[in-house]
Amino acid sequence: MIPWQPLTQPEQLQEIVRESHEQPVLIFKHSTSCSISAAAKGKIERQWADAGLADTKLYYLDLLRFRPISSEIAEQFGVRHESPQLLLIRDGECQYNASHMGIRLSDVKSAVG
């Protein structure tokens, strides 16, 4: 079972930055109307148990319902908005991001160390 944490409030971004100083945090930006996004989400869900990222908090952003939060993420972490997109936040900064079929938990694991 994936430990998705819903990202629904802009204020949560401050919490994510704070958490990222204690543990790595992932944000998955998902468009519920996009088949590529659905495929990327399914890949994360299938690979999560074996990815070795149990100490990583995983947030889920529904882009269709909460698009302004995606814009804030792009601005705050200096990354261009894409969908689907996976961002690794550590020490308050985006240290890895990938989109579309480039999303690989093995790459995230390497970035986490």
Side-chain angles (χ1 to χ4, degrees):
M1 183 80 165
I2 285 262
W4 294 116
Q5 302 290 319
L7 176 50
T8 59
Q9 302 294 322
E11 301 79 39
Q12 286 177 276
L13 293 178
Q14 296 165 356
E15 181 183 322
I16 286 170
V17 167
R18 201 167 37 252
E19 289 173 339
S20 76
H21 288 281
E22 298 167 18
Q23 70 184 61
V25 178
L26 290 171
I27 300 172
F28 179 67
K29 295 172 20 177
H30 176 55
S31 171
T32 55
S33 67
C34 171
S35 61
I36 293 172
S37 195
K41 182 176 181 277
K43 188 164 112 177
I44 290 171
E45 290 174 340
R46 284 190 305 278
Q47 296 176 356
W48 185 259
D50 298 323
L53 295 167
D55 293 335
T56 306
K57 198 157 186 184
L58 181 60
Y59 283 88
Y60 168 90
L61 175 63
D62 179 338
L63 289 173
L64 298 184
R65 292 182 61 206
F66 303 105
R67 178 60 193 246
I69 296 174
S70 179
S71 299
E72 275 195 50
I73 289 169
E75 187 175 315
Q76 181 165 349
F77 298 112
V79 295
R80 189 169 71 106
H81 163 77
E82 297 197 57
S83 167
Q85 188 173 35
L86 186 67
L87 297 90
L88 169 65
I89 312 301
R90 275 178 66 180
D91 298 323
E93 297 178 1
C94 181
Q95 296 189 350
Y96 165 90
N97 82 84
S99 65
H100 297 82
M101 299 319 286
I103 295 172
R104 292 180 188 85
L105 291 181
S106 58
D107 292 344
V108 173
K109 180 62 176 163
S110 296
V112 167

